[in-house]
Amino acid sequence: AQKITQTQPGMFVQEKEAVTLDCTYDTSDPSYGLFWYKQPSSGEMIFLIYQGSYDQQNATEGRYSLNFQKARKSANLVISASQLGDSAMYFCAMREGGTTDSWGKLQFGAGTQVVVTP
Amino acid sequence: EPEVTQTPSHQVTQMGQEVILRCVPISNHLYFYWYRQILGQKVEFLVSFYNNEISEKSEIFDDQFSVERPDGSNFTLKIRSTKLEDSAMYFCASRSSGFQETQYFGPGTRLLVL
């Protein structure tokens, strides 16, 4: 079974608008972390935002916010005021295991390609 | 700001040849990882490395793969006899201790096996 599901293969959004990228996850571990990474066409993986399973509040980082709905096992990324430079592939990833000895591998979804248009 | 670096950025090799991909993790990080991304596909975990030994590896990481931290800074991935299907982007990542710590990725090495 897929651990991370991103159902939107691609999205178009107009500049200055907000966009929501969906991510659902599957785990029975009570301790986990959810990450979003951005991959522009140049190929590097850029960390955007992190949400821990025990965090009471939704994470925010500048124009990025995470809509964390634990009961639904979803962790959607919201990008506000889209810019042309936001055009990229966006990956949701999960790390399971809550101890400091957890090796911490990330499991990735298939990604969502976002194209921001003028 | 500290960053993970990788060399080379691109490598072309013939099938059956050995390749070594190099990474310099962030200096105070303790956990190191290799991932790969076949073109157009998702990022896949290969191996994690901690305290000078492999801590976890995926099914992809078979006997053709090995990792090493030969000194205090470099972290290498060796593919002994490359296959066509090894063509991919290979990412190195590192993080410090603590469950909440983020993994920071290097820029990747694009490997093409002919």
Side-chain angles (χ1 to χ4, degrees), chain B residues 93-107:
Chain B
S94 71
R95 71 174 175 98
S96 61
S97 63
F99 176 69
Q100 290 188 338
E101 293 302 320
T102 297
Q103 281 186 35
Y104 291 95
F105 282 70

Side-chain angles (χ1 to χ4, degrees), chain A:
Chain A
Q2 292 290 329
K3 288 280 189 174
I4 296 286
T5 302
Q6 294 180 256
T7 56
Q8 305 151 311
M11 297 184 72
F12 285 92
V13 59
Q14 277 205 307
E15 212 176 353
K16 300 192 179 89
E17 290 188 351
V19 61
T20 298
L21 308 184
D22 295 341
C23 172
T24 58
Y25 58 92
D26 180 27
T27 182
S28 57
D29 197 320
S31 296
Y32 52 90
L34 297 156
F35 300 79
W36 279 91
Y37 287 85
K38 172 184 177 181
Q39 186 177 44
S41 57
S42 50
E44 69 267 34
M45 294 288 286
I46 302 167
F47 166 72
L48 296 178
I49 197 167
Y50 166 81
Q51 180 84 45
S53 59
Y54 294 121
D55 292 345
Q56 294 297 312
Q57 293 190 324
N58 288 343
T60 60
E61 288 284 349
R63 294 187 298 111
Y64 304 107
S65 60
L66 208 150
N67 183 3
F68 181 47
Q69 297 187 43
K70 196 169 180 177
R72 293 186 177 185
K73 294 190 175 178
S74 75
N76 298 340
L77 177 70
V78 180
I79 307 173
S80 62
S82 296
Q83 301 170 356
L84 295 178
D86 293 334
S87 294
M89 181 73 92
Y90 289 80
F91 290 98
C92 179
M94 177 174 66
R95 182 168 74 215
E96 294 175 295
T99 70
T100 54
D101 289 339
S102 168
W103 310 124
K105 72 179 181 193
L106 293 178
Q107 298 171 86
F108 285 82
T112 296
Q113 181 72 49
V114 172
V115 176
V116 181
T117 59

